[in-house]
Amino acid sequence: MGGEDMIDHLNEEEEEEEEEFNTPEPLEKKQRKGKEIATETETEDQNRDKKIRLKVTQIRERPDRISPIVAYFSTSYDPCEVDPETGEKVHETPKVTVYKHKDETKKRLQVVVSPPGANVEFVGTNYTGEQAAMQTTAYALGVVNREKKTIRIFPVAHNKIIRLEPRIKTEEANEEEASDAELSIRDRLSKTNQKYSTKKVVSRDKKKRNLNLGDDAETQKFLDGKLNELDINTGALEGTSSTVARNIPPYDASAPSPREAYPLDKIIEKGEWNFLGDIYRFLQQETEAAPDSYPFFVRNRLYKLRDIKDDDEKQRVSGVLTFLTHLIKFKDRSSMNFESAKNHRIPDIIHRKFISMFKDPESDRIPVEKSNLLTSYVLVLSLHVDNFKTDPEDIAKDLRMSTVDLRKHFENLGCKISMEKTARVATLPTPLSFPQIRRRRKTQK
């Protein structure tokens, strides 16, 4: 496939390392006859006369040029097969096409060998199949020129030997290849789970996909075109009142008391209380100083826990503080403050709940909207601990936010900010009253 021309082209501007190479001397053949040993001295003299000196040239890989691609066929097809009777080639020279990824940093190659007149082509890549497995060997291509007595050693492209698999030439096959090339790591893992995992894992992945279905591109384009054709009555829209979906925990706006306005059983489920006994067990040890691993808000409320006489109430407040600690550490893990939560352990049942509530399935980061929702959960729990009248100073340190920014979150929950002595406090009056969305009035010209 034009290998000698490509090598001559590469050799024009390549940096070369040359060294002399001698053929190794053959070992002496000894024949044992009884107790006598006869050495063949004649063959040794002949081999000395046939000694060959070769010039070895090593070609280094250059980033601006592609190295030779080495591939093999997984079937018995051989494009160089020769008829032993006539001495002619059995197959015509196939067409070889190499595809590279547009992003050169990804170093992806696809080789397609198309025999003329056949409805089958051979396709191989350097990133799927056996090439995706871990590789501990290095490959090189050696070309011997007997006339010039030289050996040229070339690096193999991406150090991969590509396996060529037969594919039927159809439009569906081409579309499938294109879609497989664009699959993300998450999609490839899901595809592998469907083939080899248990029924439980397959069912779980199917539910996840159904929850995260997106709109078809063609359908979305059709709907956008229809929407653009509609006449919108802006005057009627301005006169209507809008219902806002608030990014806050479950609430009851008409509740008579603050505790019923944000009920705890809607935030912490019944089965999760059994995993929230860390702070309560810490209190049983009767240790005065709290570990630095706890948030500032929790450390500053331990004195309040010790003063509670009712054991059920003490367990309830301790569980709320433990849940609040898990929320703050979960947020730190998904942000730049990973070190502060590196050794913190969140129970699996609660950790899975946090992932489904606050994380984007397509990313390991918490998006802005989910981060605001997590902050609202933390503030509601802090209100429960402080009997719905709290100083936001220490919880602002734990959330790594300014008190000014945190004030907006409190107001979004329906709280009122007021001054008491020298500090600002947030209280939750009932029934809940949320801030209204302000509309800009049109200036009359």
Side-chain angles (χ1 to χ4, degrees):
M1 291 181 273
E4 193 66 22
D5 297 338
M6 181 177 67
I7 293 171
D8 293 336
H9 177 66
L10 285 171
N11 195 29
E12 292 178 359
E13 299 178 10
E14 297 283 358
E15 296 180 3
E16 301 179 354
E17 295 181 358
E18 300 180 0
E19 56 183 21
E20 296 294 332
F21 176 78
N22 296 331
T23 54
E25 296 181 0
L27 297 175
E28 295 179 353
K29 294 183 180 179
K30 297 182 180 180
Q31 297 179 353
R32 184 179 295 275
K33 295 181 180 180
K35 296 183 180 179
E36 297 180 358
I37 298 175
T39 305
E40 298 182 0
T41 57
E42 295 180 1
T43 58
E44 183 180 354
D45 295 338
Q46 293 175 0
N47 289 329
R48 286 179 181 174
D49 296 338
K50 294 181 180 179
K51 189 180 295 186
I52 302 173
R53 297 180 66 86
L54 297 176
K55 179 181 176 183
V56 179
T57 305
Q58 185 172 2
I59 309 299
R60 294 184 179 181
E61 188 172 10
R62 290 182 56 175
D64 58 336
R65 294 185 179 181
I66 186 170
S67 301
I69 300 172
V70 180
Y72 70 96
F73 294 94
S74 59
T75 63
S76 58
Y77 172 74
D78 182 7
C80 301
E81 184 180 357
V82 179
D83 190 349
E85 296 180 359
T86 60
E88 298 179 354
K89 292 182 65 175
V90 177
H91 306 287
E92 297 182 21
T93 304
K95 177 185 176 183
V96 180
T97 310
V98 179
Y99 299 96
K100 288 180 62 179
H101 199 281
K102 290 187 292 185
D103 187 0
E104 295 183 358
T105 59
K106 293 191 177 182
K107 298 181 179 179
R108 287 188 170 190
L109 281 178
Q110 186 181 53
V111 181
V112 179
V113 179
S114 305
N119 62 343
V120 176
E121 60 185 8
F122 297 88
V123 181
T125 66
N126 66 339
Y127 57 88
T128 58
E130 64 181 26
Q131 307 306 325
M134 186 180 68
Q135 184 174 328
T136 58
T137 56
Y139 299 101
L141 178 65
V143 180
V144 180
N145 191 325
R146 296 182 180 179
E147 296 179 358
K148 298 182 180 179
K149 296 182 179 180
T150 59
I151 298 179
R152 295 175 181 176
I153 300 176
F154 294 88
V156 175
H158 307 306
N159 196 30
K160 298 284 186 180
I161 306 298
I162 298 176
R163 175 186 174 93
L164 298 174
E165 299 283 354
R167 300 276 182 88
I168 298 175
K169 290 182 180 179
T170 59
E171 294 182 1
E172 296 179 359
N174 295 335
E175 291 177 0
E176 184 179 354
E177 289 175 16
S179 61
D180 288 344
E182 296 175 358
L183 284 177
S184 62
I185 297 175
R186 187 184 298 273
D187 294 333
R188 271 184 264 167
L189 181 61
S190 177
K191 199 172 181 181
T192 305
N193 286 341
Q194 288 182 6
K195 287 184 178 180
Y196 306 109
S197 296
T198 60
K199 291 183 178 179
K200 184 178 179 181
V201 175
V202 172
S203 177
R204 183 195 65 194
D205 290 347
K206 188 176 180 180
K207 290 179 181 178
K208 281 186 178 180
R209 287 195 306 273
N210 292 336
L211 289 173
N212 300 313
L213 286 177
D215 293 331
D216 184 35
E218 295 183 0
T219 306
Q220 189 65 33
K221 186 178 180 181
F222 174 77
L223 291 176
D224 290 341
K226 288 293 184 182
L227 289 174
N228 292 332
E229 295 175 1
L230 296 176
D231 295 331
I232 300 174
N233 190 347
T234 56
L237 289 176
E238 290 176 358
T240 58
S241 59
S242 60
T243 302
V244 180
R246 300 189 176 275
N247 195 26
I248 58 177
Y251 64 92
D252 183 4
S254 60
S257 64
R259 184 166 291 189
E260 295 175 2
Y262 289 99
L264 270 181
D265 57 353
K266 299 292 185 180
I267 300 175
I268 305 175
E269 298 179 7
K270 185 177 180 180
E272 296 170 354
W273 287 97
N274 298 329
F275 301 91
L276 301 176
D278 296 350
I279 294 179
Y280 181 77
R281 287 191 292 268
F282 172 75
L283 292 175
Q284 302 304 315
Q285 299 174 2
E286 298 182 354
T287 306
E288 291 296 331
D292 294 336
S293 58
Y294 284 111
F296 290 103
F297 183 86
V298 176
R299 280 181 275 171
N300 295 338
R301 300 305 186 278
L302 290 181
Y303 73 92
K304 183 181 291 187
L305 280 175
R306 294 189 176 96
D307 294 340
I308 298 175
K309 303 301 181 183
D310 186 4
D311 193 63
D312 292 338
E313 180 66 13
K314 182 181 290 188
Q315 289 187 22
R316 187 188 71 83
V317 179
S318 300
V320 173
L321 287 174
T322 305
F323 196 85
L324 184 146
T325 302
H326 292 329
L327 277 171
I328 293 175
K329 297 299 182 182
F330 180 80
K331 183 180 180 183
D332 289 345
R333 278 186 183 180
S334 304
S335 62
M336 302 299 292
N337 306 301
F338 178 79
E339 291 295 328
S340 63
K342 182 172 62 174
N343 299 323
H344 183 79
R345 182 185 174 277
I346 303 176
D348 291 340
I349 185 173
I350 298 176
H351 189 255
R352 288 196 296 268
K353 177 181 179 179
F354 289 171
I355 291 175
S356 63
M357 289 176 61
F358 305 118
K359 275 205 172 180
D360 187 356
E362 300 296 331
S363 173
D364 292 335
R365 296 285 181 182
I366 300 179
V368 177
E369 292 183 0
K370 300 291 186 180
S371 179
N372 292 336
L373 178 61
L374 190 150
T375 302
S376 298
Y377 269 86
V378 172
L379 297 184
V380 168
L381 294 176
S382 67
L383 288 168
H384 274 276
V385 173
D386 286 348
N387 202 17
F388 302 96
K389 186 178 181 180
T390 183
D391 181 1
E393 189 70 31
D394 45 6
I395 197 67
K397 294 180 181 178
D398 295 327
L399 294 172
R400 291 172 174 80
M401 298 173 62
S402 65
T403 54
V404 177
D405 293 335
L406 204 62
R407 178 178 175 178
K408 298 177 183 177
H409 288 279
F410 272 115
E411 291 176 346
N412 193 39
L413 292 170
C415 294
K416 303 296 182 184
I417 308 296
S418 59
M419 287 291 297
E420 278 196 6
K421 297 180 181 179
T422 59
R424 290 184 179 272
V425 294
T427 57
L428 184 67
T430 52
L432 295 179
S433 177
F434 298 108
Q436 298 296 323
I437 297 177
R438 297 177 181 178
R439 296 182 180 275
R440 291 184 179 180
R441 294 182 178 179
K442 292 185 177 181
T443 56
Q444 296 180 356
K445 297 182 179 179

